[in-house]
Amino acid sequence: MKPSILLFLLAVVTLVTSSVQAAGPSVSLDSVKVDVDDRISLQRGARLFANYCMGCHSLEYMRYNRVGRDLGLTENQVIESLIFTTDEDGELVNPGSLMSNAMTPAYGDEAFGRAPPDLTLLTRVRSEDWLYTFLRSFYRDESRPLGVNNAVFENVGMPHPLWELQGWQEKREDADGAVRLQVVEPGTMSGPEYDRAIRDLVAFLSYMAEPTQLDRQRIGIFAMLFLLIFVVLAYLLKKEYWKDVH
Ligand code: HEC
């Protein structure tokens, strides 16, 4: 076989196996239904992201003022509740800036072993269910450098960012051998409250990965209405044209 064909086959095999790895989680994912039309939920998600995630993760394909516009926030609200990043002079960046942060990849690599990735497109790369389950699956694990592990992302390099809200979970084995996570030290939120907070966060990142979905749904309804009216008109027109033919 020619070397080029061999290389091609090798590339195909690598591609197929790597996508299978990415698609095949070892734990079953909890499914989540987010409503990106619920602006209040998106606003809560945005606030959580700004307070608990932006220090490490950027959303650098998005601008603050676009988020403000889409989520119905005034410019002052954007400045007060979303912008914590400062520029070289120590001033808060302006609302027209991209949502990047001050952490350089080199610093991230050194501090965590792997730099925190940009999350703008996360729900498209993983999925909403994956993110929802991931953020609810941190548990204590003394064998890890940060004392924490994740059931969905084994040996993750990220600390549990929301431990104050969720509390701490530990891995427990049931009598029938099934492994589950149990809260052993409660946080400031109850289980259902925490799940709702995570749903808001997932909704926000789902909007982030595809901001036009807000418009698309609205335009979709108008398009359907237009087609409906057009069908009626076309039908009447057809009746008019054919009425003398028979
Ligand atoms: C202290 C820094 C830090 C904070 C705060 C933080 N993360 Fe992370 N995050 C990381 C690091 C480092 C990684 C890379 C981990 C790895 O690959 O092992 C990561 C990875 C991730 C991943 C996996 C990305 C992928 O596909 O590989 C997701 C999702 C994520 N973080 C979401 C969040 C969310 C949501 C928040 C806020 C609630 C948050 N992170 C807060 C440091 C942080």
Side-chain angles (χ1 to χ4, degrees), residues 52-53 56-57 112 114 119 122 126 131 134 153 157-158 161:
Y52 292 99
C53 318
C56 294
H57 293 282
F112 303 105
R114 185 187 152 211
L119 296 183
L122 181 92
R126 304 285 195 172
L131 180 63
F134 169 69
F153 191 141
M158 160 169 146

Side-chain angles (χ1 to χ4, degrees), residues 11-117:
V12 169
V13 170
T14 320
L15 267 179
V16 168
T17 48
S18 60
S19 64
V20 167
Q21 269 170 6
S26 55
V27 289
S28 62
L29 300 178
D30 299 333
S31 71
V32 62
K33 223 169 154 28
V34 299
D35 179 6
V36 289
D37 281 329
D38 181 349
R39 284 199 179 171
I40 304 296
S41 160
L42 291 185
Q43 289 174 5
R44 284 194 303 255
R47 192 168 320 122
L48 277 172
F49 193 90
N51 286 333
Y52 292 99
C53 318
M54 265 309 267
C56 294
H57 293 282
S58 55
L59 295 171
E60 63 188 11
Y61 301 100
M62 178 56 94
R63 293 179 193 280
Y64 290 102
N65 55 4
R66 163 92 198 249
V67 172
R69 207 165 53 236
D70 287 346
L71 270 53
L73 299 171
T74 64
E75 186 161 313
N76 273 342
Q77 285 171 323
V78 169
I79 294 171
E80 274 164 23
S81 55
L82 297 186
I83 303 185
F84 301 110
T85 310
T86 48
D87 59 18
E88 304 92 61
D89 305 326
E91 301 275 326
L92 284 183
V93 297
N94 74 47
S97 321
L98 293 170
M99 300 175 73
S100 44
N101 62 13
M103 191 182 290
T104 60
Y107 177 84
D109 278 339
E110 198 185 308
F112 303 105
R114 185 187 152 211

Side-chain angles (χ1 to χ4, degrees), residues 191-211:
E193 279 170 351
Y194 183 71
D195 288 352
R196 194 197 72 165
I198 299 304
R199 208 165 53 234
D200 295 337
L201 198 48
V202 174
F204 175 66
L205 283 178
S206 165
Y207 147 75
M208 187 55 59
E210 211 186 340

Side-chain angles (χ1 to χ4, degrees), residues 1 15 68 92 100 114 116 132 168 179 181-182 225 241:
M1 216 184 305
L15 267 179
L92 284 183
S100 44
R114 185 187 152 211
Y132 180 66
W168 283 109
V179 174
L181 301 178
Q182 194 184 4
L225 272 177
Y241 281 166

